[in-house]
Coordinates of all heavy atoms in Angstrom, one line a residue:
P361 N 17.3 -9.2 5.4 CA 17.9 -10.4 4.7 C 18.8 -11.2 5.7 O 18.8 -12.4 5.7 CB 18.8 -9.7 3.7 CG 18.2 -8.4 3.4 CD 17.5 -8.0 4.7
C362 N 19.5 -10.5 6.6 CA 20.4 -11.2 7.5 C 19.7 -12.1 8.5 O 20.3 -12.9 9.2 CB 21.4 -10.3 8.2 SG 20.6 -9.2 9.4
F363 N 18.4 -11.8 8.7 CA 17.6 -12.6 9.7 C 16.7 -13.7 9.0 O 15.8 -14.2 9.7 CB 16.8 -11.7 10.6 CG 17.7 -11.0 11.6 CD1 17.4 -9.6 11.9 CD2 18.8 -11.5 12.2 CE1 18.2 -8.9 12.8 CE2 19.6 -10.8 13.1 CZ 19.3 -9.5 13.4
A364 N 16.9 -13.9 7.8 CA 16.1 -14.9 7.1 C 16.1 -16.2 7.8 O 15.1 -17.0 7.8 CB 16.5 -15.0 5.6
Y365 N 17.3 -16.6 8.4 CA 17.4 -17.9 9.0 C 16.5 -18.0 10.2 O 16.3 -19.2 10.7 CB 18.9 -18.1 9.4 CG 19.3 -17.2 10.6 CD1 19.2 -17.7 11.9 CD2 19.8 -15.9 10.4 CE1 19.6 -16.9 13.0 CE2 20.2 -15.1 11.4 CZ 20.1 -15.6 12.7 OH 20.5 -14.8 13.8
L366 N 16.0 -16.9 10.7 CA 15.1 -17.1 11.9 C 13.7 -17.7 11.5 O 13.0 -18.2 12.3 CB 14.8 -15.7 12.5 CG 16.0 -15.0 13.2 CD1 15.6 -13.6 13.6 CD2 16.5 -15.8 14.4
G367 N 13.4 -17.7 10.2 CA 12.2 -18.3 9.7 C 10.9 -17.5 9.8 O 9.9 -18.1 9.7
Y368 N 11.0 -16.2 10.0 CA 9.8 -15.4 10.1 C 9.4 -15.1 8.6 O 10.2 -15.2 7.7 CB 10.1 -14.1 10.8 CG 10.3 -14.3 12.3 CD1 11.5 -14.0 12.9 CD2 9.2 -14.7 13.1 CE1 11.7 -14.1 14.3 CE2 9.4 -14.8 14.5 CZ 10.6 -14.5 15.1 OH 10.8 -14.6 16.4
H369 N 8.1 -14.7 8.5 CA 7.6 -14.4 7.2 C 6.8 -13.0 7.2 O 6.4 -12.6 8.2 CB 6.6 -15.5 6.8 CG 7.1 -16.8 6.8 ND1 8.0 -17.2 5.8 CD2 7.0 -17.9 7.6 CE1 8.4 -18.5 6.1 NE2 7.8 -18.9 7.2
P370 N 6.7 -12.5 6.0 CA 5.8 -11.3 5.9 C 4.5 -11.6 6.5 O 3.9 -12.7 6.2 CB 5.7 -11.0 4.4 CG 6.9 -11.6 3.8 CD 7.2 -12.8 4.7
G371 N 3.9 -10.7 7.2 CA 2.6 -10.9 7.9 C 2.7 -11.4 9.3 O 1.7 -11.4 10.0
D372 N 3.9 -11.8 9.7 CA 4.1 -12.3 11.1 C 3.8 -11.2 12.1 O 3.3 -11.5 13.2 CB 5.5 -12.9 11.3 CG 5.5 -14.3 10.7 OD1 4.5 -14.9 10.3 OD2 6.7 -14.9 10.6
F373 N 4.3 -10.0 11.8 CA 4.1 -8.9 12.8 C 3.5 -7.7 12.0 O 4.1 -6.7 11.7 CB 5.4 -8.5 13.4 CG 6.1 -9.7 14.1 CD1 7.3 -10.2 13.6 CD2 5.5 -10.3 15.1 CE1 7.9 -11.3 14.2 CE2 6.1 -11.4 15.7 CZ 7.3 -11.9 15.2
P374 N 2.1 -7.8 11.8 CA 1.5 -6.8 10.9 C 1.6 -5.4 11.4 O 1.7 -4.5 10.6 CB 0.0 -7.3 10.9 CG -0.1 -8.4 11.9 CD 1.2 -8.8 12.3
Q375 N 1.6 -5.2 12.7 CA 1.7 -3.8 13.2 C 3.1 -3.2 12.9 O 3.2 -2.0 12.5 CB 1.4 -3.7 14.7 CG 0.0 -4.1 15.1 CD -1.1 -3.2 14.5 OE1 -0.8 -2.2 13.9 NE2 -2.3 -3.7 14.6
A376 N 4.1 -4.0 13.1 CA 5.4 -3.5 12.8 C 5.6 -3.2 11.3 O 6.2 -2.2 10.9 CB 6.5 -4.5 13.3
E377 N 5.0 -4.1 10.5 CA 5.1 -4.0 9.1 C 4.4 -2.7 8.6 O 4.9 -2.0 7.7 CB 4.6 -5.2 8.4 CG 5.5 -6.4 8.6 CD 4.9 -7.8 8.2 OE1 4.2 -7.8 7.2 OE2 5.2 -8.8 8.8
Q378 N 3.2 -2.5 9.1 CA 2.4 -1.3 8.7 C 3.2 0.0 9.2 O 3.3 0.9 8.4 CB 1.0 -1.3 9.3 CG 0.1 -0.3 8.7 CD -1.3 -0.3 9.2 OE1 -1.7 -1.3 9.8 NE2 -2.0 0.8 9.0
A379 N 3.7 0.0 10.4 CA 4.5 1.1 10.8 C 5.7 1.4 9.9 O 5.9 2.5 9.5 CB 5.0 0.9 12.3
A380 N 6.3 0.3 9.5 CA 7.5 0.4 8.7 C 7.1 1.1 7.3 O 7.9 1.8 6.7 CB 8.2 -0.9 8.4
R381 N 5.9 0.8 6.9 CA 5.4 1.4 5.6 C 5.0 2.9 5.7 O 5.0 3.6 4.8 CB 4.2 0.6 5.1 CG 4.5 -0.7 4.4 CD 3.3 -1.2 3.7 NE 2.2 -1.5 4.6 CZ 2.0 -2.7 5.2 NH1 2.9 -3.7 5.0 NH2 1.0 -2.9 6.0
E382 N 4.6 3.2 7.0 CA 3.9 4.5 7.1 C 4.6 5.6 7.9 O 4.3 6.8 7.7 CB 2.5 4.3 7.8 CG 1.6 3.5 7.0 CD 0.2 3.3 7.7 OE1 0.1 3.6 8.9 OE2 -0.7 2.8 7.0
V383 N 5.6 5.3 8.7 CA 6.2 6.3 9.5 C 7.1 7.3 8.8 O 7.8 7.0 7.9 CB 7.0 5.7 10.7 CG1 6.1 4.9 11.7 CG2 8.1 4.8 10.2
L384 N 7.0 8.5 9.2 CA 7.8 9.6 8.7 C 8.2 10.6 9.8 O 7.3 11.1 10.5 CB 7.1 10.4 7.6 CG 7.9 11.3 6.8 CD1 9.0 10.6 6.0 CD2 7.1 12.2 5.9
A385 N 9.5 10.7 10.1 CA 9.9 11.6 11.1 C 10.1 13.0 10.6 O 10.8 13.2 9.6 CB 11.2 11.1 11.7
L386 N 9.6 14.0 11.3 CA 9.7 15.4 10.9 C 10.8 16.1 11.7 O 11.1 15.6 12.8 CB 8.4 16.1 11.1 CG 7.1 15.5 10.5 CD1 5.9 16.3 10.9 CD2 7.2 15.4 9.0
P387 N 11.3 17.2 11.2 CA 12.4 17.9 12.0 C 11.8 18.3 13.3 O 10.7 18.8 13.4 CB 12.7 19.1 11.1 CG 12.2 18.8 9.8 CD 11.1 17.9 9.9
I388 N 12.6 18.0 14.4 CA 12.1 18.3 15.8 C 13.2 18.8 16.6 O 13.1 19.1 17.8 CB 11.4 17.1 16.4 CG1 10.9 17.3 17.8 CG2 12.4 15.9 16.5 CD1 9.4 17.6 17.9
F389 N 14.4 19.0 16.1 CA 15.6 19.4 16.9 C 15.3 20.7 17.6 O 14.5 21.5 17.2 CB 16.9 19.4 16.0 CG 16.8 20.4 14.9 CD1 17.3 21.7 15.0 CD2 16.4 20.0 13.6 CE1 17.3 22.6 14.0 CE2 16.3 20.9 12.6 CZ 16.8 22.2 12.7
P390 N 16.0 20.9 18.8 CA 15.6 21.9 19.7 C 15.7 23.3 19.1 O 14.9 24.2 19.5 CB 16.6 21.8 20.9 CG 17.2 20.5 20.8 CD 17.0 20.0 19.4

Side-chain angles (χ1 to χ4, degrees):
C362 69
F363 289 141
Y365 70 92
L366 292 174
Y368 289 114
H369 301 287
D372 281 351
F373 304 115
Q375 297 298 350
E377 290 169 35
Q378 192 177 343
R381 281 192 298 272
E382 294 182 349
V383 290
L384 189 67
L386 306 179
I388 182 97
F389 58 93

